[in-house]
């Protein structure tokens, strides 16, 4: 499909954007359109081909023939014929019109004589021209063939339909695939190019060529995304938990930026192979993003990573390498993961990882069936017989994704006994209500919950994370809350330091709580079996209390202090304090102007640093003098959409830079990339997951230019054109 007007030398798509209209299906009208736009190369094309691949823009139609159905929808009247053209061959205004009868026989005789002379004089040149015409026709036919393949591939990718499914028998190649089924349908509907290809080769597309098409499609889409990022300047780099595709670990990569309309955007850029270790892996990842993808890493102003403990050290190495090469890429928290859950996921301690992996199993288990959810609710009421309000509160919490909440560890401790009772009951399956798979999953969860290492780690996480819970909730909340959090970090770190300095006392309380809970659940208090196997000679001398202090409580507190300092560096906090520019924050602190000192962190990126003070004062006056009852923009998104922001260029520049901070939650309308990513990973069977088609599926709203894909394919695989 062309995304420009088919009229020669028409510049509507460049200087005068116009709506594009498909050629009509009706053969007579289609023929008239071709004649009017003087495209001799389109004469032999069928109405169906013209309708699918060619367009005329609105400037060639009388205004009376065009209906504006809505702001986004413009249509032609059913009998519309283009009549407005500016062709060199057309008569100019005022030119004397010749009568048809004045064209004499002498003129035709002259033209025939000249043509005959040229044919006699240049036979060899004409032969070469004829060959060139044939070659051109073949190339055009090959382009149409490729375009048909890409159209089908894009359609499947957008709908997340695997091209190779449902048949997965390798000996059948693509003969039973979804891709071939759609090609067959198009041939049955009269696609002559595909028919010819099939008649010659007994197949429209081989497995090898399909892989090449998918690869080219991925590169074309990513190039569009990267170009969009480049056009909008600064961006932040975000990664998510590693995923397995085709048996290999891959790192999902996102970018966040503010577009030309001052809207925050987050895009999925693709997967990077995560095979390797240390500096070599970090160098490879950065090289691929910069050299192969084309991201200008000099423009990167933030980074945020979500990773579990098993891959934590590798991501740390990558993050350090990134900030070493690009010092302005500040490490931050990612808004899609609550602070407490993110801190816990980064710990490599066996007890903490046991808790986090069990949380995932619990979430997956109870999402299978409402009956399982009812079973848990029943167990909760058993343990809170005299506290109906508390039981109802916990029941409501359990209907949410509570394992991802800021208070996830508190909730887990409160429902732990009910959880164990529930999964044990499901595993027993006395009334034969549950399948073998459900009972097996219940047993796996039961084993984890009945392990004292799990209980001890959960209690330690609950007590330590209490100190960071309010801060995390605020920093990922609305602008006034996040601004407040930026000023409260010092108090949080002070509390953590006090716990660290008195860890013996605190651990004693935590140990008593865990032992009491374990006793109530009839769980034996013991050292992890994995430790005893490795240190058999010491097993009789180490007490559980001492073991868990040195191997759990101390490392947990130290890890959280280190991570809080790294995630909330001084530059990050200054950026958060710049949320004082948001009108809702100004209204809340109207007696005090926003701190210019914090805004100075962006002094090198604002249009006019010399007028910053005056402009900041005017901005404060504008919003602090608003009357009561008036609404105030409460976040970055709403503030960036203020029409008069263009009169405050320095404020606009600063707000755009704050807008790319990964810490701040996006509006639902801007946060589609991560949602699409989660849907793809959860809903696509492992054998059909494709890193290339995932990029297409998650960016289906990017304007696909099939002609560019065809051109890229022919440049990448020029030899394939020879088989046509």
């Amino acid at each position: 499909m062309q995304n420009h007007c088919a009229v020669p030398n028409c510049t509507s798509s460049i200087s005068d954007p116009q709506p594009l209209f498909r050629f009509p299906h009706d053969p007579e009208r289609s023929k008239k359109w071709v004649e009017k736009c003087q495209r001799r190369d389109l004469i032999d094309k069928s109405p169906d081909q013209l309708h699918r691949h060619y367009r005329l823009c609105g400037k060639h139609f009388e205004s009376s023939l065009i209906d504006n159905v809505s702001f986004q929808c413009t249509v032609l009247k059913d009998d519309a014929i283009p009549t407005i053209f500016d062709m060199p061959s057309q008569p100019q205004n005022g030119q004397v019109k010749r009568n048809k009868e004045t064209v004499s026989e002498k003129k035709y005789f002259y033209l025939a004589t000249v043509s005959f002379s040229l044919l006699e004089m240049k036979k060899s040149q004409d032969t070469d021209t004829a060959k060139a015409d044939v070659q051109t026709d073949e190339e055009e036919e090959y382009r149409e063939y490729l375009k048909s393949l890409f159209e089908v591939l894009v359609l499947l990718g957008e709908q997340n339909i695997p091209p190779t499914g449902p048949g997965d028998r390798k000996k059948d190649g693509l003969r039973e695939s979804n891709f071939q089924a759609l090609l067959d349908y198009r041939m049955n509907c009269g696609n002559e190019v595909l028919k010819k290809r099939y008649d010659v080769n007994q197949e429209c597309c081989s497995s090898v060529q399909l892989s090449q098409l998918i690869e080219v499609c991925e590169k074309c889409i990513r190039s569009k995304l990267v170009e969009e990022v480049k056009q909008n300047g600064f961006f932040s780099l975000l990664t998510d938990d590693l995923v397995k595709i085709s048996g290999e670990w891959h790192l999902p990569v996102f970018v966040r930026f503010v577009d030309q309309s001052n809207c925050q955007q987050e895009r999925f850029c693709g997967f990077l192979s995560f095979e390797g270790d240390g500096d070599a892996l970090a160098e490879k990842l950065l090289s691929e993003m910069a050299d192969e993808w084309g991201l200008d890493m000099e423009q990167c102003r933030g980074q945020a990573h979500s990773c579990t403990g098993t891959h934590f050290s590798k991501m740390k190495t990558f993050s350090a390498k990134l900030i070493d090469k690009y010092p302005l890429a500040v490490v931050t928290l990612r808004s899609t993961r609550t602070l407490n859950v993110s801190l816990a996921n980064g710990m490599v301690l066996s007890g903490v990882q046991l808790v986090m992996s069990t949380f995932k199993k619990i979430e997956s288990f109870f999402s299978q069936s409402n009956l399982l959810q009812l079973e848990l609710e029943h167990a909760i009421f058993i343990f809170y017989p005299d506290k109906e309000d508390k039981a109802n509160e916990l029941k409501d919490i359990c209907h949410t994704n509570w394992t991802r909440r800021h208070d996830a560890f508190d909730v887990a401790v409160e429902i732990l006994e009910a959880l164990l009772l529930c999964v044990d009951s499901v595993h027993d399956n006395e009334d034969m209500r549950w399948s073998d798979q459900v009972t097996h999953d219940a047993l796996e969860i039961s084993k984890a919950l009945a392990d004292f290492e799990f209980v001890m780690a959960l209690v330690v996480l609950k007590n330590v994370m209490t100190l960071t819970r309010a801060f995390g909730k605020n920093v990922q909340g609305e602008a006034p809350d996040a601004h407040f959090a930026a000023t409260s970090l010092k108090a949080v770190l002070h509390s953590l330091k006090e716990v660290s300095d008195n860890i013996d006392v605190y651990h004693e309380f935590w140990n008593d709580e865990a032992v009491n809970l374990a006793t109530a659940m009839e769980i034996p208090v013991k050292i992890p079996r994995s430790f005893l196997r490795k240190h058999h000679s010491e097993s009789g001398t180490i007490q559980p209390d001492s073991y868990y202090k040195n191997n759990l409580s101390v490392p947990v507190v130290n890890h959280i202090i280190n991570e809080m300092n790294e995630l909330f560096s001084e530059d990050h906090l200054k950026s958060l304090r710049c949320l004082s520019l948001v009108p809702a924050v100004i209204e809340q602190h109207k007696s005090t102007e926003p701190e210019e000192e914090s805004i100075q962190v962006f002094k090198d990126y604002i249009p006019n640093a010399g007028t910053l003070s005056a402009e900041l004062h005017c901005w404060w006056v504008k919003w602090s003098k608003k009357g009561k009852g008036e609404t105030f923009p409460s976040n970055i998104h709403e503030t960036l959409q203020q029409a008069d922001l263009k009169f405050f260029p320095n404020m606009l520049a600063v707000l755009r830079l704050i807008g790319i901070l990964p810490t701040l939650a996006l509006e639902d309308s801007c946060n589609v990339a991560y949602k699409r990513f989660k849907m793809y990973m959860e809903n696509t069977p492992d054998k059909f997951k494709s890193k290339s088609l995932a990029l297409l599926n998650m960016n289906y709203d990017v304007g696909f230019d099939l002609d560019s894909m065809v051109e890229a394919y022919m440049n990448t695989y020029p030899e394939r054109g020879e088989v046509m």
Side-chain angles (χ1 to χ4, degrees):
M1 179 184 74
Q2 291 191 343
N3 58 1
H4 56 81
C5 184
V7 175
N9 301 319
C10 180
T11 60
S12 62
S13 62
I14 301 174
S15 58
D16 182 21
Q18 293 281 341
L20 292 172
F21 304 107
R22 294 175 181 268
F23 273 66
H25 275 302
D26 179 66
E28 290 300 320
R29 283 184 62 220
S30 181
K31 182 179 178 181
K32 289 180 181 179
W33 280 38
V34 172
E35 291 172 351
K36 291 289 186 180
C37 68
Q38 299 187 20
R39 284 285 299 273
R40 296 180 62 83
D41 58 313
L42 302 184
I43 292 176
D44 296 331
K45 294 188 180 296
S46 67
D48 180 64
Q49 288 176 304
L50 292 169
H51 179 76
R52 286 192 293 115
H53 299 305
Y54 295 91
R55 309 285 187 267
L56 291 188
C57 72
K59 69 188 298 182
H60 305 298
F61 296 87
E62 299 288 348
S63 59
S64 60
L65 300 177
I66 302 175
D67 288 335
N68 293 316
V69 178
S70 68
F71 177 72
Q72 294 180 323
C73 183
T74 305
V75 298
L76 283 175
K77 292 188 176 178
D78 292 341
D79 59 347
I81 300 292
T83 57
I84 305 174
F85 296 91
D86 185 15
M87 302 288 191
S89 60
Q90 292 180 322
Q92 302 295 321
N93 291 337
Q95 181 178 351
V96 178
K97 296 183 178 178
R98 296 182 179 181
N99 199 311
K100 292 181 181 179
E101 285 74 20
T102 63
V103 181
S104 64
E105 294 179 2
K106 186 180 292 185
K107 175 179 178 182
Y108 288 108
F109 177 78
Y110 169 75
L111 291 173
T113 303
V114 171
S115 300
F116 179 78
S117 299
L118 289 172
L119 286 170
E120 289 295 316
M121 293 169 58
K122 301 181 179 179
K123 284 184 178 180
S124 60
Q125 290 92 331
D126 285 347
T127 302
D128 292 340
T129 301
K131 291 180 179 178
D133 288 342
V134 172
Q135 187 174 1
T136 301
D137 290 342
E138 288 181 355
E139 182 176 320
E140 183 62 27
E141 186 176 308
Y142 183 56
R143 287 178 179 274
E144 289 297 319
Y145 157 71
L146 289 176
K147 189 176 292 186
S148 295
L149 297 184
F150 275 118
E151 277 186 321
V152 171
L153 181 62
V154 167
L155 174 63
L156 291 171
E158 287 178 344
Q159 303 300 321
N160 196 21
I161 301 173
T164 54
D168 57 358
R169 289 179 290 174
K170 293 185 178 179
K171 66 178 182 180
D172 291 333
L174 293 177
R175 279 182 290 175
E176 296 183 1
S177 68
N178 293 321
F179 187 70
Q180 186 60 50
L182 280 180
L183 293 179
D184 291 343
Y185 176 79
R186 299 196 71 168
M187 285 191 287
N188 292 334
C189 291
N191 190 311
E192 296 298 331
V193 174
L194 290 176
K195 280 185 179 179
K196 180 178 178 181
R197 178 77 175 191
Y198 184 81
D199 292 341
V200 172
N201 300 316
Q202 294 303 301
E203 65 176 2
C204 287
C205 180
S206 67
S207 299
V208 172
Q209 189 177 14
L210 177 58
S211 298
Q212 294 170 345
L213 292 167
I214 293 173
E215 172 197 330
V216 169
C217 186
E218 176 188 11
K219 289 181 178 178
C220 288
I221 294 169
R222 184 179 293 112
S223 67
K224 272 188 167 292
L225 296 177
V226 171
E227 185 60 33
E228 183 182 11
V229 175
K230 286 182 177 179
Q231 290 173 357
N232 291 287
F234 302 121
F235 67 93
S236 288
L237 186 76
L238 305 91
T239 67
D240 205 71
D241 287 337
L242 296 182
V243 297
K244 263 197 173 179
I245 299 177
S246 301
E248 294 185 355
W249 287 110
H250 287 82
L251 181 69
V253 179
F254 301 77
V255 290
R256 184 182 288 196
F257 59 94
V258 176
D259 64 19
Q260 295 297 307
S261 60
N262 291 328
C263 286
Q264 294 168 286
Q265 296 287 351
E266 196 166 293
R267 291 285 194 181
F268 176 69
C269 274
F271 295 99
L272 291 173
S273 175
F274 206 74
E275 300 299 324
D277 292 294
D279 284 347
L281 174 61
E283 286 284 2
K284 184 188 76 168
L285 295 174
L286 286 175
S287 175
E288 286 187 46
M289 286 189 286
D291 301 334
E292 295 185 24
W293 290 7
L295 283 173
D296 183 1
M297 300 305 294
E298 295 287 351
Q299 298 290 85
C300 184
R301 290 296 178 272
Q303 57 171 310
H305 311 288
S306 300
C307 60
T308 57
T310 52
H311 302 288
F312 184 73
S313 60
K314 289 185 180 182
M315 287 307 303
K316 276 291 186 182
T317 302
F318 169 71
S319 177
K321 179 68 68 174
L322 176 59
I323 205 166
D324 180 56
K325 282 195 168 187
Y326 309 101
L328 299 176
V330 178
V331 179
T332 70
L333 175 69
R334 187 173 178 187
S335 61
T336 55
R337 190 74 58 84
T338 58
L339 175 62
N340 281 354
V341 172
S342 181
L343 291 171
N345 271 325
M347 299 183 202
V348 296
L349 305 170
S350 63
V352 175
Q353 286 305 302
L354 177 60
V355 170
M356 302 313 294
S357 63
T358 305
F359 273 16
K360 291 180 181 178
K361 292 177 182 178
I362 290 170
E363 183 177 335
S364 175
F365 181 76
F366 287 102
S367 65
Q368 295 179 70
S369 166
N370 287 331
L371 292 177
L372 290 171
Q373 191 71 45
L374 290 173
E375 195 77 12
L376 176 58
E377 292 176 14
H378 177 66
I380 290 173
F381 278 108
I382 289 176
F383 279 93
Y384 291 91
D386 301 323
K387 298 180 180 179
E388 186 176 344
D389 291 343
K390 183 65 176 179
N392 285 325
E393 178 189 351
L394 292 173
K395 181 193 74 173
D396 292 339
I397 289 175
C398 289
H399 278 287
T400 67
N401 292 326
W402 64 268
T403 57
R404 307 179 194 180
R405 289 167 52 116
H406 294 280
D407 59 351
F409 307 112
D410 300 76
V411 174
V413 169
E414 290 188 300
I415 67 171
L416 187 56
E417 293 178 85
L419 263 175
L420 184 57
L421 175 64
C422 174
V423 293
D424 280 347
S425 174
V426 171
H427 174 252
D428 291 342
N429 201 17
E430 293 178 351
D431 48 8
M432 303 300 291
R433 284 192 295 158
W434 316 110
S435 67
D436 290 344
Q437 184 60 53
V438 170
T439 58
H440 173 76
D441 293 341
L443 177 61
E444 291 297 307
I445 296 173
S446 175
K447 288 179 179 179
L449 299 181
D451 188 334
F452 182 73
E453 184 180 21
F454 175 93
V455 176
M456 187 71 216
L458 181 62
V459 169
V460 171
L461 288 171
K462 182 206 75 169
N463 284 283
V464 181
M465 298 294 193
T466 298
L467 303 175
T468 57
R469 186 177 64 201
F471 174 85
K473 190 173 182 179
N474 285 333
V475 83
Q476 293 174 302
E478 292 291 335
D481 300 322
H483 178 261
F484 171 75
T487 63
S488 65
L489 178 65
K490 187 177 293 186
V492 175
L493 290 174
H494 178 78
S495 297
L496 289 168
K497 181 65 165 53
E498 195 270 335
V499 171
S500 177
D501 291 342
N502 299 279
I503 192 63
D504 291 340
V505 177
Y506 282 97
H507 173 73
E508 185 178 346
F509 283 112
W510 303 340
N511 184 71
D512 289 345
E513 181 180 352
V515 169
N516 291 335
L517 183 56
T519 301
M521 298 170 66
E522 299 181 350
I523 298 173
V525 177
K526 59 183 182 180
I527 296 172
R529 186 161 51 89
S530 59
F531 177 82
L532 295 177
R533 284 203 311 268
K534 295 177 182 178
H535 305 83
H536 183 70
S537 60
E538 306 174 29
S539 59
T541 60
I542 300 179
Q543 296 300 312
D545 182 13
S546 175
Y547 168 83
Y548 286 111
K549 187 191 84 170
N550 296 323
N551 293 277
L552 184 64
S553 295
V554 171
V556 165
V557 174
N558 290 340
H559 173 88
I560 292 176
I561 292 174
N562 292 336
E563 282 297 291
M564 291 292 286
N565 279 307
E566 184 172 351
L567 287 174
F568 300 97
S569 64
E570 188 56 35
D571 283 346
H572 186 191
L573 292 176
K574 285 181 179 178
S575 298
L576 291 174
R577 285 197 286 267
C578 287
L579 289 168
S580 59
L581 298 179
V582 173
V585 181
I586 292 177
E587 196 275 336
Q588 195 176 75
H589 305 278
K590 61 176 63 177
S591 61
T592 308
E593 288 193 36
E595 298 178 13
E596 185 177 338
E597 180 185 354
S598 297
I599 300 173
Q600 287 293 334
V601 73
F602 300 123
K603 66 180 184 299
D604 295 332
Y605 315 116
I606 58 179
N608 192 340
T611 63
L612 176 61
S613 297
E615 187 177 317
L616 179 60
H617 178 73
C618 292
W619 179 256
W620 172 73
V621 169
K622 169 182 170 59
W623 294 106
S624 63
K625 303 305 179 185
K626 288 278 186 179
K628 287 186 177 181
E630 295 189 52
T631 58
F632 292 83
S634 61
N635 53 40
I636 290 292
H637 173 77
E638 293 176 2
T639 307
L640 282 169
Q641 296 308 304
Q642 296 302 301
D644 52 0
L645 191 57
K646 60 186 177 183
F647 301 115
F648 299 88
N650 287 328
M651 299 298 99
L652 174 59
V654 173
L655 288 166
R656 283 177 61 90
L657 281 160
I658 303 171
I660 67 174
L661 269 180
T663 310
L664 304 178
L666 294 175
E667 292 288 295
D668 285 341
S669 59
C670 306
N671 193 27
V672 295
Y674 185 69
K675 293 177 182 176
R676 290 175 184 172
F677 167 74
K678 298 298 288 184
M679 287 180 62
Y680 181 87
M681 298 310 301
E682 291 171 2
N683 299 335
T684 308
D686 289 343
K687 68 178 180 179
F688 291 134
K689 283 176 182 170
S690 161
K691 71 181 188 67
S692 301
L693 291 178
L695 183 68
L696 168 60
N697 179 257
M698 294 175 219
N699 294 284
Y700 58 77
D701 53 340
V702 173
F704 298 117
D705 185 349
L706 295 178
D707 290 311
S708 295
M709 289 185 181
V710 170
E711 194 68 31
Y713 183 89
M714 294 181 70
N715 290 335
T716 307
Y717 302 103
E719 70 280 359
R720 297 202 66 88
E722 299 172 3
V723 300
M724 283 297 294

